[in-house]
Amino acid sequence: MRAWRVHENGEPERVLRLEEIEEPSPGPGEVLVGVEAVSLNFLDVLLCRGGYQERPEPPFVPGAEASGRVLAAGPETGIEPGGRVVVLTRPEGAFAERVAVPAERVFPVPEEMPPEKAAALPIAYQTAHFALHRRAGLEPGETVLVHAGAGGVGSAAIQLARAADARVIATAGSERKLRICRELGAELAIDYRRQDVIGAVKEATGGRGADVVFDPVGGDVFDASRRCVAFEGRLLVIGFAGGRIAEAPTNHVLLKNYSVVGVHWGLYQSVMPGLVREVHEELLRLYASGEIDPLIGDSVSFEELPGALARLGAGRTVGKVVARVGA
């Protein structure tokens, strides 16, 4: 089968090679899936660069999530061949024509759900759902500030916040991205390059600030966020796409009575896998009702995957980027 492999760390376009490798054989408790589409994530860029917290030894196949059809499964898995699924490979292995994964990382999806949208669902929407509901305890009517609102996880956060009857303010860095944020349901979209984000948020909230801040960027964005978070607000630390890990001055946290809350969704897969499956079922319900719909900003062929991953790493994409693999 074909797979994209990394033999040395570096930028995706330089180090990814499309190669013929041996097809995996499912072991006990594993499921073999024929991949239809793979979703690209910033963690894949970091894996290629050698900058992710998990550093597999080269050569390795990146890719953390994919959609496809079950080709084979052991009787002990309770999974029948032929069904359509999404899989989590944590954090590598999905950039291939077939993958073998433990049954607990296989989730059913409806037959009518397009492969690209199915592949785009798990990481972005699970992260946003856990952040807003389990970690922030979002209530109807609260104001959510979503940074990088046109990105993969940001677009998921806007949709899920609106589905929870929250008010959404989003930030983005171009007219196209601002328009996307508004189309997704943001009441106000702020151009962080040209506008005073802190002043705009305070003005829009009557001086109160945002009850929940969804921050996948870190650095300067985190610093600005703590200045416009509301009394008893929750500042969600999703990631550090901006490159700098910010520091939270505890005296400021104390003076404003807000919480800085970490969101490491991947840890739930190990500690509370049953909850991950419950949230997947809830996401499918929201998709069926039309309350969420994965934003596919770019759909490329399998052969075009490295270039698309490079664009994602450079911040030149919107929504989720997916690569079509097989029928």
Side-chain angles (χ1 to χ4, degrees):
M1 70 173 191
R2 297 184 304 162
W4 286 102
R5 290 208 295 181
V6 171
H7 289 264
E8 60 179 356
N9 294 128
E11 293 302 315
E13 281 187 301
R14 184 177 67 83
V15 300
L16 281 168
R17 301 182 197 171
L18 187 57
E19 299 177 336
E20 288 284 341
I21 67 172
E22 186 176 351
E23 179 175 323
S25 298
E30 291 189 331
V31 177
L32 180 66
V33 175
V35 176
E36 297 175 331
V38 295
S39 176
L40 282 55
N41 293 281
F42 189 68
L43 72 85
D44 300 316
V45 178
L46 295 178
L47 274 176
C48 290
R49 293 173 178 168
Y52 193 62
Q53 56 258 41
E54 296 180 38
R55 299 185 180 184
E57 285 293 323
F60 65 88
V61 178
E65 58 184 342
S67 67
R69 198 173 292 276
V70 176
L71 300 178
E76 70 279 8
T77 65
I79 298 174
E80 293 293 329
R84 294 196 60 243
V85 295
V86 291
V87 298
L88 296 166
T89 54
R90 191 197 168 198
E92 53 175 311
F95 292 174
E97 293 180 314
R98 285 171 287 283
V99 293
V101 294
E104 61 266 22
R105 297 189 179 276
V106 178
F107 302 84
V109 294
E111 190 69 31
E112 64 274 12
M113 192 175 193
E116 292 88 349
K117 291 187 181 289
L121 187 69
I123 292 178
Y125 282 83
Q126 285 266 354
T127 298
H129 194 285
F130 270 83
L132 294 173
H133 293 287
R134 185 166 185 88
R135 302 297 285 143
L138 180 64
E139 296 288 344
E142 289 192 310
T143 298
V144 181
L145 172 61
V146 179
H147 291 296
V153 70
S155 61
I158 292 175
Q159 292 183 353
L160 285 168
R162 290 297 299 123
D165 293 324
R167 179 189 184 198
V168 178
I169 299 171
T171 68
S174 71
E175 285 302 321
R176 179 193 179 202
K177 292 180 178 181
L178 293 169
R179 183 180 69 252
I180 287 171
C181 290
R182 289 189 288 266
E183 291 171 351
L184 290 169
E187 175 184 316
L188 175 65
I190 304 168
D191 187 338
Y192 67 84
R193 300 172 309 168
R194 298 186 173 91
Q195 295 176 263
D196 172 13
V197 173
I198 299 168
V201 171
K202 288 187 175 180
E203 181 180 358
T205 58
R208 172 177 168 76
D211 300 292
V212 175
V213 180
F214 187 93
D215 177 18
V217 182
D220 294 345
V221 170
F222 177 90
D223 295 339
S225 295
R226 61 183 182 81
R227 294 175 60 193
C228 60
V229 66
F231 171 77
E232 292 197 330
R234 290 83 79 201
L235 205 171
L236 298 166
V237 179
I238 312 297
F240 313 103
R244 179 173 72 85
I245 298 175
E247 296 183 359
T250 51
N251 63 323
H252 193 259
V253 174
L254 173 65
L255 289 173
K256 289 189 68 175
N257 272 26
Y258 65 91
S259 303
V260 177
V261 185
V263 184
H264 181 187
W265 168 73
L267 194 57
Y268 284 100
Q269 296 179 71
S270 302
V271 179
M272 304 179 75
L275 188 57
V276 173
R277 195 162 293 276
E278 287 179 22
V279 171
H280 176 73
E281 294 298 325
E282 170 65 6
L283 293 174
L284 291 184
R285 185 192 69 77
L286 291 169
Y287 175 78
S289 68
E291 293 175 88
I292 65 171
D293 186 17
L295 172 64
I296 307 300
D298 200 2
S299 178
V300 302
S301 69
F302 193 48
E303 293 75 14
E304 297 172 310
L305 187 152
L309 191 57
R311 292 193 296 276
L312 186 155
R316 301 199 305 270
T317 61
V318 299
K320 291 291 291 182
V321 179
V322 298
R324 305 177 302 276
V325 182

